[in-house]
Amino acid sequence: MAQQRTYTVKGMDCAGCAETVENGIATLDGVDGVRVDLMTEKMHIDGSASLEALNARAKSLGGYSVHEVTTDKNEDTQRGGAIGFMQFLLHERETQFALVGGVVTLLTLVAALLGLLETVARYGYIAGVAIAGYPIAKSALGNLLQNRNFNLNMLMTIAAVGAIVIGEALEAATVVFLFAVGEALEGFTTDRARQSIKALTQLAPAQAHRLHGEQTHTVPVAELRLNDIILVKPGERIPMDGAVISGESGVNQAPITGESIPVGKANGDEVYAGTINGDGALTIRVTRLAADNTLSRIIQLVENAQSVRAPSQRRIDQFAKYYTPVVVVTAFLIATVPPLLFGAPFFEPAAGGHGWLYRSLVLLVIACPCALVISTPVAVVTAITNAARRGVLIKGGLHLEMLGGVKAVAFDKTGTLTSGQPRVTAYRAVDCETGGICEVCDNMLAYAASVEQQSTHPLAAAVINAARDRQPMFAAHNVTNLSGRGVQGEVNGHTITVGSHRYFDEAFPHDAALCDAITEQENSGHTTMMVAEDDKVIGTIAVADTPRDSSQDVVAALNDLGVATIMLTGDNHTVAQAVGAKVGVTDVRAELLPADKSGAVQALRGQYGRVAMIGDGVNDTPALAAADVGIAMGGAGSAQAIETADVALMADDLRQLPFTMRLSRFTRRLISQNIALAVGVKLVFVALAVLGITSLWLAIIADVGMLVLVTLNGMRPLRFA
């Protein structure tokens, strides 16, 4: 079986670089599969090729380098602004060539203006082109030899050589220098976007205080093992997921869940790596290894988000695949057809203006697709990172873009719109003679609780908690879940069934007066379960689950966004309507089995178009899968919730849902703006190039300026609130 490995690739400035590396590595012996992500600088390899072979191939493609993935948290953070950009220029080898070439060109220009070295000025400009353009030409040639295709560096190389041929050496030197600086500026701004992801890796400390008897040893986090005991002092970040075994403190969980208020932690409570301890010391038992803790899973999913590409990005990538060869052919036709067929000037005419060769070179320069290709990934990655900071995990650009187009949100009721912690408000045995709670009633409750002990439904916990306060429960055997109807098992030689009123109407005959009593309870917003011993109904249990404090505000916020809100529940219609009215949803679908919820989501898609479903990520899995976007509540600490859904609300906090939808809509608008700007400016300059009323240096300035504008615009989701 092929080895699966991940490396870091340095030197990638744009999506074209990532494609060049990916295609070049893919043809290497010992590589069965490869995927390169620009925004994370990660290369995922299937195969046996050595690091040395990978690095050699990467260097031959244009100065890229491949390294082992490091977990060094002391990696320098790049400065922003002009000073940071200057440091970036001086640090990168390719830009060092550009700076030297720029200096040579500037000195040659000054000498020419002063009347010095006039006879050799042209050669000074050619030297400037050669020095600044060396990394560009090397990358173009390496890509041509290894990948058998043209990239944007080849476009620029052809343009520079062509400009020298027609006697525009100064313009060639200027264009190459500006292109190199533009590439560096793109790399600089892309690195600034990458910092948003790298910041997540800084959340967890590199070391921990491990307890061994009475001794405390400071050790690297990677050395910790399951069930190790660690000490977290006041004010420190918690290094690992674990369970508190002693101490009490308030923990700031905002880095993981987005909660703004510290959460109290005491014996038995779960804590997460990267969260910040308050003013009390905590002793914690490690429950997950560093590579598998909640923070690591979040970072991994955010880094892998680019592999789940947004539809707009997939379309652009497909377009860019054929774009460069088409541009080269078009430029060739522009340079040759008018002179051959219409007698137009090939070189610069003596009367002034530009010949058709020059116009074709301008087309090559302005046709660089960088701004278009980078228009989507920067916006997507920064939006996903911002959401992760708020405790919302979005598993890819596809889901981010889909969420922005959602027209309806379907909510599970129990545990989503409601607190998920129902309590028994009343119970009564059919044979009760006192009219109040009696021994017969308590026995009925104990029977029901005995079979519910093996159920994970929230209503089961309410029955168990109520019975525990009254009398001991019994041993239950052969317990079976009735899939949306109830639960059944054997207690003291009898078959005990606990289920919904609807199910009992079908399976267990009972008195009409009992139905009337249940209906009255349900009209007041209670869920009523019925209990049977063998074939005889022996009692009822009324349970209430109150709406979350935030549900009404969240539903109102979604409605204000023009999103329809629908509640899906297995409860009866009366209870469902009562809860739906309290929270303000636009529609209620009740008495649904798990399979019915999936069908209801499909029906909503037919009615509204794009639909999101939000539930607990486990019981509602069929409905989550049926929706265009599945959203899981309470992803923190739940690997299944994170893996099941497209989006996870880590803090079990509905209030992050409207924010996430606004963020996705904002990001979709930015992507549309970027595409329109990139395409619009290019079309204008293509027209100007064909008409011969623009120049090489103006074209490259427009291209670089658009590239920077698109990148900076794409980073705006980082500041969205």
Side-chain angles (χ1 to χ4, degrees):
M1 183 177 178
Q3 301 176 11
Q4 296 183 341
R5 294 165 292 161
T6 299
Y7 297 101
T8 298
V9 181
K10 295 295 185 182
M12 297 189 299
D13 298 329
C14 65
C17 297
E19 182 181 5
T20 296
V21 174
E22 184 171 283
N23 293 338
I25 295 294
T27 61
L28 192 64
D29 290 340
V31 174
D32 300 321
V34 57
R35 189 182 87 246
V36 178
D37 292 330
L38 169 67
M39 297 306 299
T40 62
E41 299 183 297
K42 295 291 179 64
M43 178 170 66
H44 307 279
I45 289 283
D46 291 334
S48 58
S50 66
L51 175 60
E52 291 74 18
L54 296 172
N55 195 40
R57 174 58 60 87
K59 286 184 180 299
S60 72
L61 293 169
Y64 309 107
S65 58
V66 181
H67 308 272
E68 296 281 0
V69 175
T70 176
T71 57
D72 182 14
K73 296 181 182 294
N74 296 317
E75 183 178 353
D76 290 340
T77 300
Q78 179 180 291
R79 290 189 63 173
I83 295 177
F85 180 54
M86 289 304 301
Q87 291 176 342
F88 184 85
L89 287 175
L90 295 172
H91 181 265
E92 300 296 320
R93 182 171 175 80
E94 288 76 13
T95 54
Q96 291 171 356
F97 277 96
L99 290 175
V100 173
V103 170
V104 170
T105 300
L106 180 62
L107 292 177
T108 303
L109 176 61
V110 171
L113 292 175
L114 295 176
L116 306 173
L117 304 175
E118 292 184 6
T119 57
V120 296
R122 183 167 184 267
Y123 297 103
Y125 296 140
I126 293 175
V129 172
I131 296 171
Y134 168 73
I136 300 170
K138 180 182 177 183
S139 173
L141 184 61
N143 182 66
L144 183 63
L145 294 176
Q146 300 293 346
N147 298 338
R148 303 293 190 271
N149 62 25
F150 281 51
N151 61 10
L152 61 96
N153 287 331
M154 181 60 74
L155 296 183
M156 198 55 53
T157 302
I158 295 172
V161 172
I164 292 174
V165 169
I166 63 176
E168 298 287 349
L170 173 58
E171 203 158 351
T174 304
V175 166
V176 170
F177 172 74
L178 290 175
F179 175 76
V181 173
E183 287 286 282
L185 190 54
E186 180 181 14
F188 176 74
T189 53
T190 302
D191 268 0
R192 295 295 294 169
R194 289 182 184 127
Q195 294 294 334
S196 64
I197 297 177
K198 292 178 181 178
L200 292 175
T201 67
Q202 308 297 322
L203 291 177
Q207 296 181 318
H209 308 302
R210 182 167 61 188
L211 294 176
H212 185 71
E214 298 296 325
Q215 300 295 318
T216 301
H217 304 280
T218 301
V219 298
V221 165
E223 292 185 8
L224 293 176
R225 296 293 177 261
L226 294 179
N227 297 316
D228 277 356
I229 307 301
I230 59 176
L231 173 67
V232 181
K233 300 175 182 178
E236 291 184 337
R237 286 190 180 270
I238 295 173
M240 298 284 279
D241 283 10
V244 177
I245 59 176
S246 69
E248 294 184 6
S249 184
V251 174
N252 179 359
Q253 298 190 151
I256 301 297
T257 66
E259 295 168 288
S260 58
I261 300 175
V263 179
K265 299 292 183 179
N267 186 27
D269 290 334
E270 187 174 15
V271 292
Y272 309 116
T275 56
I276 305 168
N277 189 22
D279 55 6
L282 294 175
T283 304
I284 297 167
R285 178 176 57 83
V286 175
T287 57
R288 293 190 185 93
L289 296 177
D292 191 43
N293 62 37
T294 302
L295 178 60
S296 296
R297 294 202 305 272
I298 292 173
I299 293 170
Q300 182 179 3
L301 288 170
V302 170
E303 288 184 339
N304 291 342
Q306 271 297 97
S307 64
V308 188
R309 297 190 174 183
S312 57
Q313 185 175 350
R314 291 201 304 268
R315 290 191 293 269
I316 290 171
D317 290 346
Q318 189 68 20
F319 168 76
K321 181 178 180 180
Y322 303 102
Y323 177 77
T324 303
V326 170
V327 167
V328 172
V329 172
T330 302
F332 175 78
L333 294 175
I334 288 176
T336 57
V337 171
L340 291 175
L341 298 184
F342 305 105
F346 182 69
F347 294 106
E348 304 295 85
H354 295 303
W356 287 92
L357 175 59
Y358 184 92
R359 300 181 193 198
S360 69
L361 297 179
V362 175
L363 176 63
L364 290 179
V365 171
I366 194 60
C368 171
C370 286
L372 180 62
V373 174
I374 204 69
S375 61
T376 297
V378 170
V380 167
V381 169
T382 53
I384 289 174
T385 304
N386 186 13
R389 291 175 178 174
R390 294 281 296 261
V392 181
L393 183 59
I394 304 173
K395 293 170 59 177
L398 169 63
H399 311 304
L400 176 72
E401 193 163 316
M402 292 284 280
L403 189 60
V406 161
K407 301 299 182 184
V409 175
F411 292 88
D412 173 52
K413 179 180 78 71
T414 304
T416 303
L417 286 174
T418 63
S419 64
Q421 297 178 334
R423 59 185 181 86
V424 172
T425 56
Y427 60 97
R428 180 66 54 85
V430 171
D431 295 334
C432 176
E433 297 179 351
T434 64
I437 300 301
C438 64
E439 184 178 354
V440 177
C441 296
D442 286 341
N443 282 335
M444 181 274 299
L445 181 65
Y447 274 138
S450 299
V451 294
E452 293 282 19
Q453 286 184 99
Q454 298 185 38
S455 172
T456 59
H457 196 281
L459 297 182
V463 175
I464 294 167
N465 290 334
R468 187 178 290 122
D469 295 335
R470 304 295 297 183
Q471 69 178 61
M473 287 170 277
F474 308 105
H477 307 281
N478 301 322
V479 176
T480 303
N481 181 32
L482 299 179
S483 184
R485 295 176 174 86
V487 64
Q488 188 176 77
E490 295 181 7
V491 179
N492 293 339
H494 297 282
T495 300
I496 302 299
T497 306
V498 183
S500 66
H501 187 194
R502 177 185 179 187
Y503 173 55
F504 268 59
D505 279 343
E506 299 171 356
F508 296 93
H510 50 276
D511 190 88
L514 188 59
C515 279
D516 293 339
I518 293 172
T519 301
E520 184 178 348
Q521 288 177 330
E522 291 175 344
N523 286 338
S524 63
H526 292 75
T527 298
T528 302
M529 297 177 286
M530 301 184 71
V531 184
E533 181 181 344
D534 298 325
D535 295 330
K536 177 186 176 184
V537 176
I538 62 172
T540 61
I541 303 172
V543 178
D545 184 13
T546 58
R548 293 173 181 263
D549 293 338
S550 59
S551 293
Q552 188 173 3
D553 292 339
V554 168
V555 169
L558 292 177
N559 290 337
D560 288 343
L561 290 173
V563 177
T565 50
I566 302 93
M567 187 178 76
L568 307 181
T569 178
D571 254 338
N572 64 79
H573 287 285
T574 304
V575 173
Q577 290 293 343
V579 174
K582 288 181 181 178
V583 299
V585 293
T586 54
D587 192 10
V588 174
R589 312 278 174 101
E591 298 187 7
L592 300 175
L593 301 177
D596 296 331
K597 288 185 180 180
S598 177
V601 170
Q602 294 283 10
L604 290 171
R605 293 179 67 186
Q607 180 179 352
Y608 291 100
R610 194 167 293 173
V611 173
M613 170 70 192
I614 178 166
D616 61 15
V618 180
N619 297 331
D620 297 306
T621 299
L624 292 173
D628 295 285
V629 182
I631 305 172
M633 292 285 289
S638 172
Q640 188 169 5
I642 291 178
E643 295 301 325
T644 298
D646 306 316
V647 178
L649 304 183
M650 305 299 287
D652 201 24
D653 185 1
L654 274 178
R655 288 171 296 185
Q656 297 298 342
L657 184 57
F659 158 77
T660 307
M661 295 195 69
R662 289 188 292 105
L663 173 65
S664 74
R665 292 185 179 188
F666 177 70
T667 306
R668 281 164 57 98
R669 289 197 299 271
L670 289 186
I671 291 172
S672 297
Q673 291 171 9
N674 281 349
I675 293 174
L677 285 170
V679 173
V681 169
K682 290 197 180 301
L683 289 177
V684 169
F685 271 82
V686 165
L688 294 176
V690 173
L691 295 173
I693 54 177
T694 190
S695 61
L696 286 171
W697 64 267
L698 189 59
I700 193 65
I701 287 177
D703 183 69
V704 171
M706 184 52 53
L707 176 64
V708 174
L709 179 61
V710 164
T711 305
L712 294 177
N713 195 42
M715 292 176 65
R716 288 172 62 195
L718 278 177
R719 300 185 297 274
F720 185 84

